[in-house]
């Protein structure tokens, strides 16, 4: 692994979104269609794998083994308020399906987890997980390397029918053949109204150039979010940028660093500082902002006029997993609107399931109206992705970004 990429992975593990955000997601106070429908959605039932990920079907033991090994991030599922060991939706799935789920929260960082299962997958062995949740860019890497199993939409009628249209196409998984979103992610601008004396902060330009905010601004240690949002502010499309575009963005942020406009680059520890007002404004992840707003009326967010960074955390079945059909049943279960709403009520990230918003109104009307969980048309229109990177690009970009943030 190139040093620059390794250092970026370490930053993510120790201070990035993966390091802390999952621990922040829960608060004590917060709470078919068959072949015709599949064809109507433009997704034909699988009839044997022909893509890179599986030129042959791995043996599936779901019929005789009613078990499922499911690896997820810490606190990325609903739990019972009175008994934290209970997970209401997951327990319901086990009762209804008869499938016993071994649920482990051992994904603390995309790259660290990848490194954990890579030796087994590279050797053509079962990595011990039937279903995993990974960020879209890492899911894309697994797919490109042939380490993901093609899903059969005929066994997932709720997922095929209820997946929101904007999630149906993805640069890392065209046609959603190998992955389905567990939740959507969004990086936006956040600010503390008390710290800004009532002034609204709504753009990266303000973060980088407003003298009134000098020394009280933070940006993220996650390269794609910080660079991607700055690209949008500069009128550069993060889906089509060039090397020269990347250098222009880094130079602009470097200028703000040199004039001490930025207090620092941070991971999720920006939350405490934003909450207290020590940081007046910053780049932030939407799920965190939802949580802070429930406790602090001074915390606000803004979707920049030129757009925000959008992504997904995806459900994926690794190659050699023994229980693909059982995994497909669980994916389909969480695309039922009721279960999707219960999940979103706890994790507070973007819900990808059509019909879940109506169910959320029965749980929490305020959350049902929150555009950070159920984006309205205007917010959806502004979402942009950071394009997939080739290996050599990732190395070069991470080297430049590491130098910028002093990592």
């Amino acid at each position: 692994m190139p040093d620059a990429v390794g250092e970026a992975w370490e930053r993510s593990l120790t201070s990035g979104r993966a390091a802390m955000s999952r621990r922040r997601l829960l608060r004590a106070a917060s709470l078919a269609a068959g072949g015709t429908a599949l064809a109507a959605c433009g997704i034909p039932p699988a009839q044997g794998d022909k893509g890179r990920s599986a030129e042959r079907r791995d043996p599936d033991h779901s019929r005789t083994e009613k078990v499922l090994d499911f690896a997820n991030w810490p606190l990325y599922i609903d739990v019972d308020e009175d008994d934290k060991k209970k997970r209401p939706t997951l327990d319901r799935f086990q009762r209804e399906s008869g499938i016993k789920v071994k649920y482990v929260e051992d994904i603390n960082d995309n790259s660290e987890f990848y490194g954990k299962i890579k030796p087994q997958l590279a050797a053509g062995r079962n990595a011990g997980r039937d279903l995993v949740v990974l960020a879209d860019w890492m899911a894309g890497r697994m797919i490109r390397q042939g380490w993901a199993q093609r899903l059969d939409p005929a066994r997932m009628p709720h997922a095929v029918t209820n997946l929101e249209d904007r999630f149906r196409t993805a640069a890392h998984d065209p046609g959603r053949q190998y992955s389905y979103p567990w939740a959507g992610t969004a990086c936006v601008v956040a600010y503390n109204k008390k710290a800004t004396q009532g002034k609204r902060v709504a753009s990266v330009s303000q973060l980088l150039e407003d003298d009134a905010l000098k020394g009280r601004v933070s940006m993220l240690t996650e390269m794609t979010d910080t660079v991607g949002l700055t690209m949008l502010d500069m009128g550069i499309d993060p889906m089509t940028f060039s090397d020269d575009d990347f250098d222009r963005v880094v130079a602009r942020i470097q200028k703000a660093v040199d004039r001490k406009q930025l207090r620092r680059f941070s991971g999720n520890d920006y939350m405490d500082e934003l909450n207290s007002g020590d940081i007046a404004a910053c780049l932030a992840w939407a799920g965190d902002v939802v949580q802070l707003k429930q406790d602090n009326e001074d915390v606000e967010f803004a979707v920049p006029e030129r757009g925000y960074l959008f992504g997904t955390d995806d459900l994926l079945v690794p190659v050699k997993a023994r229980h693909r059909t059982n995994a497909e049943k669980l994916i389909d279960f969480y695309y039922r609107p009721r279960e999707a709403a219960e999940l979103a009520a706890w994790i507070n990230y973007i819900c990808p399931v059509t019909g879940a918003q109506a169910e959320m109104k029965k749980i929490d009307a305020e959350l049902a109206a929150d555009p950070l969980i159920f984006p309205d048309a205007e917010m959806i229109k502004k979402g942009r992705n950071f394009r997939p990177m080739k290996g050599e690009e990732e190395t070069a970009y991470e080297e430049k970004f590491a130098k910028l943030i002093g990592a």
Side-chain angles (χ1 to χ4, degrees):
M1 179 190 304
D3 290 342
V5 178
E7 290 166 3
W9 287 7
E10 183 177 355
R11 287 200 306 275
S12 182
L13 177 61
T14 57
S15 63
R17 176 166 73 91
M20 294 182 66
S21 63
R22 308 305 185 194
R23 298 202 301 270
R24 302 282 192 155
L25 288 173
L26 301 184
R27 298 168 59 249
S30 69
L31 185 77
T36 301
L38 297 174
C41 293
I43 306 177
Q47 297 179 352
D49 294 332
K50 299 179 181 179
R52 266 194 220 181
S53 261
E55 295 183 1
R56 65 185 185 282
R57 279 284 192 184
D58 290 325
D60 185 16
H61 302 271
S62 296
R63 186 182 296 274
T64 56
E65 299 176 5
K66 297 299 181 182
V67 296
L68 178 68
D69 290 288
F70 182 13
N72 202 350
W73 301 75
L75 302 181
Y76 209 18
I77 198 169
D78 52 304
V79 300
D80 187 283
E81 292 185 10
D82 298 322
D83 185 349
K84 302 303 181 183
K85 294 182 179 180
K86 294 182 179 180
R87 304 178 177 95
T89 57
L90 191 61
D91 293 343
R92 189 182 309 143
F93 169 76
Q94 294 183 94
R95 289 194 303 270
E96 291 185 10
S97 67
I99 297 169
K100 184 176 181 180
V101 180
K102 180 182 178 182
Y103 184 82
V104 292
E105 298 178 327
D106 66 342
I107 305 178
N108 292 302
D109 173 81
N110 286 287
S111 300
E112 180 217 20
F113 184 76
Y114 173 81
K116 184 187 302 183
I117 64 175
K118 179 180 177 180
Q120 295 97 311
L121 297 178
R125 299 197 302 269
N126 177 15
R129 283 86 172 174
D130 298 306
L131 188 64
V132 298
V133 178
L134 298 171
D136 49 14
W137 61 271
M138 181 57 75
R141 178 183 294 178
M142 295 274 288
I143 293 167
R144 290 192 303 273
Q145 292 179 323
W147 292 347
Q149 293 198 46
R150 190 189 299 269
L151 301 172
D152 188 345
R155 288 196 287 261
M156 303 187 301
H158 294 100
V160 171
T161 302
N162 295 331
L163 177 64
E164 256 193 56
D165 287 346
R166 65 198 175 102
F167 294 94
R168 291 186 183 276
T169 58
H172 67 286
D173 184 11
R176 286 292 179 188
Q177 299 181 75
Y178 301 96
S179 66
Y180 269 75
W182 177 252
T185 61
C187 186
V188 297
V189 172
Y191 61 101
N192 185 306
K193 291 186 294 185
K194 187 174 181 180
T196 64
Q197 297 182 334
K199 182 177 182 179
R200 184 171 184 264
V201 181
S203 71
V204 172
S205 289
Q206 286 174 275
L207 297 181
L208 296 177
E209 299 165 8
D210 190 338
D211 288 335
L213 301 175
K214 187 172 183 178
R216 298 186 298 149
V217 171
S218 72
M219 299 184 90
L220 295 166
T221 56
E222 295 284 342
M223 185 267 287
T224 56
D225 291 312
T226 291
V227 171
L229 272 174
T230 306
M231 283 180 176
L232 288 171
D233 188 77
M234 296 171 67
I236 300 169
D237 187 346
M239 276 299 296
T240 60
F241 69 89
S242 66
D243 290 346
D244 288 342
D245 292 330
F246 188 92
D247 290 343
R248 287 170 52 207
V249 170
V250 169
R252 186 185 183 200
I253 301 173
Q254 184 65 61
K255 184 177 179 181
V257 171
D258 294 342
R259 66 185 291 267
K260 302 190 184 304
Q261 175 75 9
L262 301 182
R263 178 167 178 163
R264 66 190 182 97
F265 294 87
S266 67
N268 263 83
D269 43 348
Y270 72 81
M271 292 179 66
D272 292 330
E273 294 175 308
L274 180 63
N275 188 55
S276 67
D278 289 340
I279 283 179
C282 62
L283 297 184
W285 291 297
D288 297 337
V289 177
V290 174
Q291 296 293 326
L292 285 179
K293 282 171 59 64
Q294 292 176 10
D295 294 323
N296 187 344
E297 62 182 10
D298 289 325
V299 173
E300 285 290 350
F301 77 94
V303 178
E305 186 63 31
R306 292 189 172 180
Y308 66 94
L309 254 291
F310 167 77
T312 56
D313 286 334
D314 290 348
L315 293 153
L316 178 144
V317 179
V319 292
K320 302 301 179 182
R322 292 178 60 87
H323 310 110
R324 183 185 65 253
T325 298
N326 292 345
E328 290 167 336
K329 288 181 179 180
L330 186 139
I331 294 171
D332 194 59
F333 175 84
Y334 277 99
Y335 271 80
R336 298 183 344 190
R338 174 190 171 189
E339 282 69 29
E342 291 182 38
L343 177 66
W346 276 89
I347 67 175
N348 291 170
Y349 272 65
I350 296 172
C351 181
V353 180
T354 299
Q357 189 171 20
E359 291 294 326
M360 180 70 86
K361 291 178 181 177
K362 304 173 185 178
I363 300 172
D364 189 320
E366 186 176 348
L367 289 179
D370 195 319
L372 295 184
I373 300 176
F374 296 100
D376 54 25
E378 181 180 357
M379 185 167 180
I380 290 173
K381 186 178 179 180
K382 291 182 177 180
R384 297 290 185 274
N385 298 109
F386 197 96
R387 70 167 171 80
M389 295 175 287
K390 298 178 181 178
E392 61 271 19
E393 286 182 319
E394 183 180 19
T395 299
Y397 295 158
E398 287 290 3
E399 284 178 348
K400 293 175 182 178
F401 189 69
K403 182 178 180 181
L404 169 69
I405 68 176

